[in-house]
Amino acid sequence: MALVRTTGTRPALLLDALQSVALQAVPCLAIVIVHGDASAYIRVKKLCEEDENAPGKTVLHASDTNRRGGYPINAGLDYCRTQLSGVEFVFFLDDGDIVYPFFTMMMAAAFLAAEADVIYAASNRREAGRPAGPGYSPLAIHRLLRENFITINSYAIRAAALWRTGLSMSEDLDYTGDWHFLLRMLEAGLRFHAIPAALSEFRIISGGNVAEKRDASAWKEGSLQIRRYINATSFPIPGPDLANLNERSELYRDADQALISSLRDRIRALENSLSWKWTAPGRRLIDAVLAFRQRRASGAQKR
């Protein structure tokens, strides 16, 4: 089941998202959740009814525009939990995202083979006027404790596990709510499994909230809130991922190389500076004194 959230302001992109769901090799239904006023809901409902490329959609109205964060997705989850039976797994799309035609097929196979509760994959990104390129790669799941590398359109959740835990998205966090939701699933003991293939695509395009997204203080407060949550929580991490924690190369290789390179550049610049050359006689004198004192100390120890 695909839960597609929209405000109704990007109809062309919404149709692209819905068509990507309709083209799945393993058939999948879509639920469109409209987070807006009555006119937005009517507009989207009419658009979906007239869309011949992706028939059979359900359109829900998340009418409370004062609620934010994951409220629209929660409305979709509640509908699936209470009104539908037989849903095997759910995944999420914003109206600027698409899934590739083999998304559901790969997810279904991974659920069967890995017996996991959450399957996550790589995702591509597309900027206006440019071809799609790599976005995020699936890393070991313990990396969620440092950063969110799993985009909302790149994973699927086993519905039975989600219903069992009763988890939903935070409505207190605007732009870090997706990360918080993943962390809460990890906290609840849901098992994660990664697929290296890119199965989805997100677009770098304004959703009409540019001012909010550029609010640095809001981003900082959201990040601090996530960090406080991580620091106060115990997470059950799978054994293989715990074993990977001992491999410094995975976590710090790039950072170490950058630090070493920076230090080498600093030393090279220092050695070529005038101040270094002017102080050379003094350093040689100090070195000689230290060497003399070390020889005297070594001789005293021998006696």
Side-chain angles (χ1 to χ4, degrees), residues 93-144:
L93 288 179
D94 286 330
D95 59 11
D97 305 333
I98 62 170
V99 284
Y100 294 151
F102 40 85
F103 181 92
T104 55
M105 179 179 67
M106 293 284 287
M107 288 291 174
F111 274 118
L112 181 62
E115 298 184 353
D117 301 307
V118 183
I119 306 294
Y120 62 102
S123 59
N124 288 335
R125 57 179 282 161
R126 183 186 296 272
E127 298 185 36
R130 297 184 181 182
Y136 293 90
S137 299
L139 306 175
I141 199 59
H142 66 260
R143 290 290 294 269
L144 272 180

Side-chain angles (χ1 to χ4, degrees), residues 7-263:
T7 59
T9 58
R10 305 189 291 188
L13 294 181
L14 174 59
L15 290 178
D16 285 349
L18 293 174
Q19 187 171 21
S20 76
V21 175
L23 291 175
Q24 292 302 302
V26 174
C28 176
L29 298 178
I31 295 178
V32 181
I33 307 112
V34 185
H35 190 201
D37 57 21
S39 61
Y41 170 70
I42 293 171
R43 188 167 59 249
V44 171
K45 185 171 177 60
K46 181 179 179 182
L47 180 73
C48 292
E49 290 172 349
E50 295 176 350
D51 179 21
E52 298 179 354
N53 294 319
K57 298 169 292 297
T58 298
V59 183
L60 303 180
H61 188 195
S63 57
D64 191 346
T65 55
N66 292 320
R67 296 170 70 178
R68 52 198 178 103
Y71 162 60
I73 284 181
N74 290 340
L77 290 175
D78 290 341
Y79 180 83
C80 289
R81 186 163 31 220
T82 60
Q83 304 298 320
L84 301 177
S85 60
V87 176
E88 295 185 38
F89 63 85
V90 296
F91 63 96
F92 312 123
L93 288 179
D94 286 330
D95 59 11
D97 305 333
I98 62 170
V99 284
Y100 294 151
F102 40 85
F103 181 92
T104 55
M105 179 179 67
M106 293 284 287
M107 288 291 174
F111 274 118
L112 181 62
E115 298 184 353
D117 301 307
V118 183
I119 306 294
Y120 62 102
S123 59
N124 288 335
R125 57 179 282 161
R126 183 186 296 272
E127 298 185 36
R130 297 184 181 182
Y136 293 90
S137 299
L139 306 175
I141 199 59
H142 66 260
R143 290 290 294 269
L144 272 180
L145 304 181
R146 294 185 61 200
E147 60 187 330
N148 182 17
F149 57 90
I150 304 177
T151 59
I152 195 168
N153 64 338
S154 66
Y155 66 92
I157 312 166
R158 190 184 298 275
L162 198 55
W163 307 159
R164 183 182 70 248
T165 59
L167 290 175
S168 60
M169 285 206 172
S170 171
E171 297 178 9
D172 298 325
L173 297 169
D174 283 319
Y175 305 115
T176 50
D178 299 348
W179 186 12
H180 186 239
F181 185 56
L182 289 163
L183 288 169
R184 290 183 65 211
M185 287 193 289
L186 188 61
E187 178 191 5
L190 270 64
R191 298 158 297 170
F192 285 72
H193 178 76
I195 298 177
L199 304 181
S200 60
E201 181 181 304
F202 61 93
R203 291 171 177 158
I204 306 300
I205 187 170
S206 170
N209 54 355
V210 174
E212 291 87 345
K213 287 186 175 180
R214 290 179 179 172
D215 186 347
S217 62
W219 278 103
K220 180 179 179 180
E221 178 53 35
S223 298
L224 289 175
Q225 190 169 344
I226 292 289
R227 184 53 53 195
R228 288 192 293 267
Y229 167 73
I230 291 173
N231 291 341
T233 304
S234 296
F235 295 90
I237 305 293
D241 290 313
L242 280 176
N244 287 337
L245 287 172
N246 294 321
E247 299 180 7
R248 272 183 57 85
S249 59
E250 181 190 358
L251 293 176
Y252 301 112
R253 178 175 52 218
D254 294 341
D256 285 350
Q257 291 302 318
L259 178 61
I260 291 171
S261 177
S262 175
L263 287 173

